Amino acid sequence: MKNNTNNIVEVKNLSKNYGKINAVDGISFEVKSGEVFGMLGPNGAGKTTTVEIIEGIRQPDKGETFINGLNTIIDNKQIKKIIGVQLQQNAFFDYLNIYEIIDFYSKLYGNKTKTIDLLKKVELIEKKNSKYKELSGGQKQRLSIAIALVNDPLVLFLDEPTTGLDPQARRHVWNLIKQIRLEGSTIIMTTHYMEEAEELCDRVAIIDTGKIVALDTPGNLIDKLIDKGFKPKRTIKKASLDDVFLDLTGQNLRGD
Amino acid sequence: MKIYSAIILASMKMYYRNKHAIIWSLVFPVTIMLIFGMFNFERYNPPKLGINDLSNNQISKDLINSFNSFQKEKILEIDIDIQTNLENKLINGDIDGFIIIPKNFGLKNNISDIEVSYDKNKIEEKSAIKIIITNSITDLFNKNNRIPEDYKIESSYSITEKNIVTNAQGFKGFLVPGIAAMAIMQTGLFSVVFTLIRFKVSGVLRRLNVTPIGSSHFIIGQMITRVILIIIQTYLIILIGIIILGVSIGKGDPLVWIEIGIISLIGGLVFLAMGLGISGWATDENMAAPLTNLIALPMMFLSGVFFPLSVMPNWVINIAQFFPLTFLADSIRSVSLDGLSLIDISGEILGLIIWLFIALIIAVKTFKWE
């Protein structure tokens, strides 16, 4: 087992088939400690399957993955203690309030964090007595990020953290992810929003039909494209429609 | 251990806040128990009168003939026996009262004392028997054609009444342990099936699988919570039976409460394991609901909850005697009414344990996480 101190996550030649479909087809990459690593790709490209194999909740057909030198399959239980996971579809208990839900998950890891601190971090302190179903989409995502942080994880997995959110709620989640990154966590995230990857990720892997088709920093990927002589179909303005929308409706969250 | 206490505490909170679950596990069985208990459905049967005829003369035979005519009209049932047997029968609830016809009954120049004993708790039976006895004797002594003139004029009688405290609790005593058993089945099956399927469908179990404890420990924690709740629920139902319906439990022996707790624990585990099997096999509520009802409904009516198994056709008895609810209802009834110990009912307990193993094997074999 090779434990390169610089690479906290190592993925080696991963494959997973569902029937005749190669959901993951020989994927290998490394994630450096402290970086935000993005996995981009269209729906059904194999992002979630890859992430779930690394998290240890799916078995690969071939290949192996390591987190902090631990084999995901052999040291499954140890791995689960050091990772934080936000699944693409989240569900929590109906009859507990937000505080109780976070506190419950915190107890499962032996109370490594204070529930109140987590609620403050994800700005849900005012909602602590609400039920999960009473939260807005952005609040639900922030709750599931808070729960992913209860064990102060070495590696945080975020699977499409902003899918379905409005621009304000999305910026709010982005700010939260940036803050977590500043505190030194390694983050592996999937998304199909390019501007999200550009905003947050140090490096991105672009995945299509189960294979990595490109892996580099967002800046390098754009430079390579331009080097190939790429001409945008329309001229890039200094602001996007997203910026117009946020300028008109405000950066701040409203009731979110 | 700390993790289990966290799971159990959270499960308790969830259960307490789920009003449907509380209604199913407590309000529903208690309501049924009170409705059936208040209406006293036992009154389908005529009162049973024991007779001990010490005089054995023509007059006493005439009196018994008069009781016989009531029996033909199905107003009364009679049982002729000796006094000690009748006393035992009254105490065990086999008869509702008995009459002792004295040696000097109807004899010339005699005032015969007729002794009638009643079950203290059976007020309706008592008044029915009393009316029948008084009318029959009055008729007998006023009848000109059958009673010789001598007797009629010079013989007289008095009636001494005795109210005996018995173990017989009638229908209410039968009903309360049956309802407690039925409620164990309901909570065991329904609370587990629908909660676990909701957790499975919504993805709660999947989320727990990415934590170090995994969802299996969470499910075990849920089961422990349900068993604790089932024991508390059984105690509450029996207490309500004692307070409102006036039944008495275990002939005053406090040990009976421990025995009831142990039986509820075993019975609870049987139905929880069945519930686990159903929720593991089914992928959603639509698959689980019919199967759960298919298991629960026949047992509710055929396992001796509301009326004894013995009133049913033989072929039903042959099958229903092996139902887990039959074992459970019989066990609770035996310790709480007849004062039997757990060793006396080891057959029923064994039956429950066999069911527990069957249910666990099915649950393990059929469980699907997603």
Side-chain angles (χ1 to χ4, degrees):
Chain A
M1 191 191 304
K2 194 184 85 179
N3 188 3
N4 188 332
T5 45
N6 204 20
N7 290 339
I8 194 153
V9 176
E10 292 176 54
V11 177
K12 293 176 178 171
N13 206 20
L14 221 54
S15 289
K16 175 87 181 172
N17 301 331
Y18 293 114
K20 285 179 182 170
I21 300 156
N22 298 329
V24 180
D25 191 4
I27 283 183
S28 300
F29 62 88
E30 288 90 35
V31 178
K32 296 189 189 89
S33 182
E35 82 174 331
V36 178
F37 186 86
M39 293 170 71
L40 305 182
N43 283 331
K47 307 184 296 282
T48 297
T49 308
T50 306
V51 166
E52 288 184 349
I53 291 170
I54 306 170
E55 288 162 358
I57 54 174
R58 264 182 218 283
Q59 294 274 327
D61 294 335
K62 262 188 259 165
E64 48 189 359
T65 64
F66 297 92
I67 300 176
N68 205 30
L70 298 166
N71 185 303
T72 312
I73 298 161
I74 299 162
D75 310 305
N76 193 280
K77 215 173 164 183
Q78 279 73 20
I79 293 268
K80 282 174 178 170
K81 285 180 186 164
I82 59 166
I83 62 168
V85 174
Q86 184 214 29
L87 296 174
Q88 199 177 106
Q89 271 160 351
N90 284 287
F92 300 103
F93 308 110
D94 320 355
Y95 295 101
L96 296 183
N97 64 37
I98 302 310
Y99 182 92
E100 289 165 335
I101 292 172
I102 298 177
D103 203 47
F104 172 76
Y105 279 92
S106 185
K107 279 179 185 153
L108 299 185
Y109 294 90
N111 288 42
K112 287 197 177 141
T113 47
K114 282 203 175 113
T115 300
I116 285 288
D117 294 344
L118 286 172
L119 280 167
K120 282 179 189 158
K121 183 181 256 179
V122 301
E123 294 173 54
L124 284 176
I125 194 84
E126 280 151 30
K127 290 278 170 185
K128 71 184 170 90
N129 293 322
S130 305
K131 298 275 157 40
Y132 179 68
K133 62 180 176 209
E134 294 161 3
L135 300 182
S136 69
Q139 289 167 339
K140 281 180 178 165
Q141 287 296 16
R142 268 145 47 210
L143 172 70
S144 68
I145 293 174
I147 290 167
L149 292 171
V150 289
N151 58 335
D152 196 12
L154 273 177
V155 183
L156 177 65
F157 292 88
L158 304 173
D159 198 355
E160 297 190 7
T162 66
T163 296
L165 301 188
D166 67 39
Q168 276 99 344
R170 175 170 299 151
R171 305 263 151 165
H172 199 175
V173 172
W174 287 0
N175 289 339
L176 179 60
I177 295 171
K178 284 177 190 168
Q179 189 196 334
I180 295 164
R181 191 251 160 112
L182 281 177
E183 287 162 15
S185 290
T186 307
I187 299 172
I188 295 180
M189 59 183 287
T190 71
T191 181
H192 45 225
Y193 299 117
M194 299 309 128
E195 77 275 24
E196 181 165 298
E198 208 176 335
E199 177 89 19
L200 297 173
C201 298
D202 298 306
R203 287 191 304 145
V204 294
I206 296 173
I207 296 175
D208 196 18
T209 59
K211 290 192 176 84
I212 293 182
V213 292
L215 199 169
D216 211 331
T217 65
N220 285 347
L221 288 171
I222 293 167
D223 289 344
K224 277 181 200 165
L225 182 67
I226 292 166
D227 289 348
K228 281 200 284 186
F230 173 81
K231 291 266 187 323
K233 281 179 185 146
R234 55 193 164 87
T235 47
I236 309 251
K237 297 193 175 142
K238 290 206 166 111
S240 68
L241 191 58
D242 209 35
D243 296 323
V244 175
F245 178 77
L246 286 169
D247 182 57
L248 292 171
T249 59
Q251 282 274 0
N252 293 331
L253 291 148
R254 27 174 84 181
D256 180 85
Chain B
M1 236 19 246
K2 254 179 116 177
I3 284 167
Y4 272 105
S5 69
I7 297 170
I8 291 166
L9 186 72
S11 309
M12 288 276 184
K13 272 186 198 164
M14 286 185 251
Y15 194 83
Y16 175 72
R17 290 175 193 169
N18 181 354
K19 300 299 169 226
H20 296 286
I22 299 216
I23 287 170
W24 267 103
S25 66
L26 213 53
V27 179
F28 171 71
V30 165
T31 310
I32 298 262
M33 179 172 82
L34 293 182
I35 290 171
F36 278 74
M38 300 284 190
F39 279 103
N40 205 0
F41 280 85
E42 198 191 25
R43 295 278 356 101
Y44 286 123
N45 301 318
K48 285 180 192 150
L49 177 68
I51 301 167
N52 185 16
D53 183 6
L54 297 173
S55 68
N56 206 17
N57 59 26
Q58 191 53 50
I59 315 299
S60 71
K61 276 178 189 151
D62 279 345
L63 181 61
I64 292 169
N65 277 337
S66 137
F67 292 148
N68 261 325
S69 62
F70 282 110
Q71 179 161 260
K72 277 187 194 121
E73 288 168 40
K74 302 204 164 150
I75 297 166
L76 186 72
E77 268 179 47
I78 60 173
D79 180 3
I80 298 168
D81 209 336
I82 57 164
Q83 185 170 353
T84 46
N85 288 351
L86 291 176
E87 278 168 358
N88 282 333
K89 283 180 183 172
L90 184 67
I91 284 174
N92 291 325
D94 300 331
I95 56 174
D96 303 312
F98 63 86
I99 178 170
I100 296 166
I101 305 170
K103 272 204 165 95
N104 61 355
F105 182 64
L107 289 186
K108 195 175 172 183
N109 297 327
N110 267 285
I111 300 172
S112 55
D113 184 35
I114 300 160
E115 195 185 300
V116 188
S117 302
Y118 300 108
D119 186 325
K120 193 171 185 282
N121 293 323
K122 295 183 178 171
I123 293 150
E124 289 169 54
E125 287 84 348
K126 178 180 166 176
S127 56
I129 291 172
K130 198 170 175 174
I131 291 167
I132 290 169
I133 290 177
T134 328
N135 286 350
S136 302
I137 296 175
T138 320
D139 273 4
L140 187 72
F141 279 80
N142 290 338
K143 257 182 207 165
N144 292 323
N145 55 340
R146 293 287 290 144
I147 310 279
E149 204 65 13
D150 296 357
Y151 295 128
K152 203 169 71 181
I153 297 161
E154 291 168 44
S155 168
S156 184
Y157 67 95
S158 67
I159 293 178
T160 309
E161 288 186 340
K162 279 186 186 173
N163 285 313
I164 312 256
V165 179
T166 69
N167 299 323
Q169 309 218 29
F171 180 65
K172 291 169 186 172
F174 181 87
L175 182 70
V176 172
I179 294 284
M182 180 196 81
I184 291 173
M185 175 182 77
Q186 298 277 20
T187 306
L189 288 177
F190 288 93
S191 76
V192 162
V193 168
F194 292 103
T195 308
L196 281 189
I197 285 183
R198 206 173 62 237
F199 287 161
K200 187 157 95 169
V201 172
S202 67
V204 167
L205 293 184
R206 216 173 127 68
R207 181 63 186 78
L208 283 162
N209 266 337
V210 293
T211 70
I213 64 142
S215 47
S216 51
H217 288 282
F218 175 75
I219 290 172
I220 294 168
Q222 286 267 318
M223 295 291 152
I224 296 171
T225 311
R226 297 299 195 276
V227 166
I228 295 169
L229 289 167
I230 279 173
I231 295 172
I232 295 171
Q233 162 201 302
T234 308
Y235 285 147
L236 283 176
I237 289 173
I238 291 175
L239 273 176
I240 292 170
I242 291 172
I243 294 164
I244 300 182
L245 295 180
V247 301
S248 73
I249 292 295
K251 298 182 170 172
D253 183 1
L255 196 71
V256 74
W257 290 98
I258 296 168
E259 291 171 335
I260 289 172
I262 293 168
I263 297 167
S264 313
L265 171 80
I266 300 168
L269 288 174
V270 171
F271 291 108
L272 285 169
M274 286 186 175
L276 188 62
I278 297 168
S279 53
W281 163 81
T283 46
D284 58 28
E285 280 98 337
N286 297 332
M287 264 172 95
L291 182 63
T292 314
N293 282 313
L294 196 70
I295 292 173
L297 280 179
M299 281 205 269
M300 198 163 143
F301 294 107
L302 301 179
S303 284
V305 168
F306 296 99
F307 41 83
L309 211 58
S310 56
V311 304
M312 277 177 293
N314 276 331
W315 68 270
V316 177
I317 297 174
N318 287 340
I319 300 167
Q321 62 178 330
F322 298 111
F323 286 173
L325 187 58
T326 311
F327 290 131
L328 183 60
D330 284 352
S331 299
I332 301 179
R333 206 168 274 140
S334 300
V335 298
S336 56
L337 290 189
D338 307 331
L340 298 183
S341 72
L342 291 182
I343 294 153
D344 298 326
I345 54 163
S346 51
E348 280 83 358
I349 303 276
L350 183 70
L352 284 174
I353 290 171
I354 290 170
W355 271 111
L356 177 59
F357 277 100
I358 294 171
L360 277 178
I361 290 165
I362 294 171
V364 170
K365 293 258 177 203
T366 58
F367 209 91
K368 290 176 288 203
W369 289 112
E370 284 166 50

